[in-house]
Amino acid sequence: MRKSGIDRAGSKLFYSWLRDLGNLPPDAPVTLRFLDRVTGQLSCEQLVDRHGVACEPIRALLIDYLEERRPRLDYSTRWTISPAP
């Protein structure tokens, strides 16, 4: 057992169950081992979708705003102005 009190096998099994039950996004890595291998930057849509905005017009407005500002902002700034909940 690790110091946190959660064993590795239990964590892997728990992640597997969450994925099988559909509680993780469809693009979630198959196993925890691949979790740190997600590469690339999120699109403006993905940055907004992290918030789960239910109102489609508001979602579209936020995406348009980020797309409009994208040429003038670096990725780190776009990430910062659309923080995850």
Side-chain angles (χ1 to χ4, degrees):
M1 239 185 227
R2 296 183 303 184
K3 289 182 181 181
S4 68
I6 300 173
D7 66 29
R8 232 174 219 180
S11 296
K12 290 178 184 177
L13 182 59
F14 183 68
Y15 182 84
S16 172
W17 284 342
L18 286 175
R19 189 166 178 2
D20 292 345
L21 291 171
N23 291 318
L24 298 175
D27 59 344
V30 177
T31 66
L32 284 174
R33 183 175 53 170
F34 297 113
L35 193 58
D36 64 343
R37 296 186 187 168
V38 176
T39 59
Q41 299 176 349
L42 298 177
S43 68
C44 292
E45 291 87 359
Q46 291 169 318
L47 287 171
V48 171
D49 287 343
R50 294 182 305 156
H51 299 279
V53 178
C55 180
E56 188 59 36
I58 298 297
R59 179 184 175 275
L61 178 70
L62 293 169
I63 292 169
D64 288 345
Y65 172 75
L66 289 175
E67 286 289 349
E68 182 178 320
R69 299 224 28 218
R70 186 175 64 174
R72 295 180 297 278
L73 298 175
D74 61 13
Y75 182 74
S76 176
T77 304
R78 283 196 321 269
W79 180 271
T80 302
I81 65 174
S82 64

